[in-house]
Amino acid sequence: MSETVATGNDLAYLRRALFEGRYNDAYDRAAGIRQTLRERTPARVLYAGACALFGLGHVLQAEEWVSEHGRASDFDASHMYLTGYVEIHRRRLDRALLSWTRIVQADPGETFADELIERLKRGEAEVLREVRDPSNFTRYVPLAPLDVASAPEKPRRTKRPRIRDAYRRLVLVLILLGLAGLGAVFLGTRLLELLRPDPYAGLLEELPRAPSGGTVTDPDRFEDEPPRFTYPDREAALDDYRNAREKIGAGLVNQARFLLGRLELSNASFEIKERARLLRDSIPTAPYSDFRDPISVRELVEEPYLYRGAQVLWTGTAENATRSEGVLRFDFRPGPEAGPVPDRRVIVLYSVDDARRSEQALDQVPEEGPIEVFGLLREEAGTGLVVRALRVTAP
């Protein structure tokens, strides 16, 4: 089965089956395509598979399809419709609302998302009642992204900000080195270090600013358990927001995540929490060569939610290592310098995107003895944490 077929005749079949309510047929076709094409499965096929599972009432099973669709679609608007529906079933309606709000912010012409926002504002109970019937999923997830005539899917691109500025600085350094000659090698090296662009320079200009609205709720007004963190007034909550924003601009990405996590679990209003989540989503991935904000295993194990998405740079040992389809998986044990650590499993997954280099790169990873892991906290898995490694080497 070719990818062209999968996005042509098969896509038309999937769309028709979903419209006709033949969810088993749609799922079987999508699963067959996915099994054949694997990582080359088009985003729209993954979208159809997730919708079929929604229609069958298998929302938990659909989460794997939704996650894979995000990677294939570069987390576009269609993906946010899927995640919004999943969040409703998790009874996290504030996150569903955030997904729809992002869709409208990216494209004000998205009337479907506008209608969902208004529907949720009219009453959360009605939304929760509607989704009890799996066949109602089309009220929250449009089938329009499956249109065969829609624009072809674009390959994912990696954002590289300020490449032109970096290039100009590099050219300047090379000119200086050429003029100075062989006797200025040391000077040239120093200039190269000084002129190396700061990866966080100018980032503050792009980050969302503190909201103009919003307030805080008096803890005494909470009928159930009060929030974990409380602010005496609106300005105190916004101080934490501004502080987090400044820390991102300074490359202190993990400290910023902690402050934003406090806001999300506080008595701050929805407007402030929503902006905090947008700011969290704007945190860039810090490069290994300029990582400034280490976090200990203990800190991450004790507060995985506050630090979710955190970057780590740890030294320890790899245990129970296994390899499967170009992915190295092992249990990470921190070294003695980490001090006492709560008894919680830390699982590391490491793969290389380029299949031609994956096995060669993985063969160089030590499976026993000291190991350095640079990566991102991805999720909590039962009693453990999962870290997706960006780099694994012997220290």
Side-chain angles (χ1 to χ4, degrees), residues 42 55-57 61 124 166 213 245 325 368 372:
L56 293 169
Q61 185 181 348
E124 296 182 358
R245 190 172 180 274
E325 297 183 355
E368 295 181 358
E372 182 183 77

Side-chain angles (χ1 to χ4, degrees), residues 25-240:
D25 293 342
Y27 176 74
D28 289 343
R29 180 66 67 93
I33 297 171
R34 184 181 179 216
Q35 184 177 8
T36 300
L37 297 181
R38 296 179 179 272
E39 68 277 1
R40 295 185 297 110
T41 304
R44 285 180 287 179
V45 172
L46 297 169
Y47 189 92
C51 288
L53 289 169
F54 289 160
L56 293 169
H58 303 323
V59 178
L60 289 178
Q61 185 181 348
E63 290 188 25
E64 180 184 353
W65 287 72
V66 173
S67 177
E68 192 172 339
H69 174 270
R71 294 189 292 272
S73 66
D74 206 12
F75 304 94
D76 63 5
S78 66
H79 179 70
M80 285 185 273
Y81 279 120
L82 297 179
T83 57
Y85 187 74
V86 171
E87 294 294 1
I88 294 175
H89 278 269
R90 291 174 176 169
R91 302 184 73 86
R92 299 193 295 207
L93 301 185
D94 57 335
R95 297 193 181 185
L97 179 59
L98 180 60
S99 294
W100 302 330
T101 302
R102 289 174 181 165
I103 295 173
V104 175
Q105 288 175 337
D107 181 4
E110 278 282 354
T111 57
F112 194 96
D114 258 334
E115 293 172 2
L116 293 178
I117 293 172
E118 291 303 316
R119 184 179 302 170
L120 186 57
K121 288 180 179 179
R122 287 195 298 267
E124 296 182 358
E126 176 64 16
V127 171
L128 293 173
R129 185 193 63 78
E130 278 191 334
V131 297
R132 290 175 189 169
D133 182 352
S135 64
N136 286 337
F137 84 90
T138 53
R139 300 183 184 182
Y140 297 88
V141 182
L143 298 182
L146 298 177
D147 190 349
V148 179
S150 61
E153 299 172 24
K154 299 178 181 180
R156 296 183 63 178
R157 298 180 179 179
T158 302
K159 186 179 180 181
R160 299 179 181 275
R162 304 190 179 277
I163 293 296
R164 184 177 298 176
D165 293 344
Y167 177 76
R168 288 173 178 171
R169 289 189 178 95
L170 181 59
V171 170
L172 175 60
V173 171
L174 293 175
I175 292 174
L176 290 174
L177 287 175
L179 294 175
L182 295 177
V185 171
F186 176 75
L187 176 61
T189 302
R190 292 292 299 165
L191 283 173
L192 183 61
E193 181 178 341
L194 291 173
L195 294 175
R196 181 169 57 88
D198 185 338
Y200 307 98
L203 185 59
L204 280 176
E205 301 174 6
E206 305 171 6
L207 296 175
R209 299 185 180 277
S212 57
T215 183
V216 297
T217 303
D218 188 329
D220 294 335
R221 295 181 58 186
F222 285 87
E223 297 180 0
D224 299 322
E225 184 179 351
R228 181 177 173 186
F229 303 100
T230 59
Y231 295 98
D233 52 41
R234 174 179 181 274
E235 197 58 30
L238 293 184
D239 281 345
D240 261 4

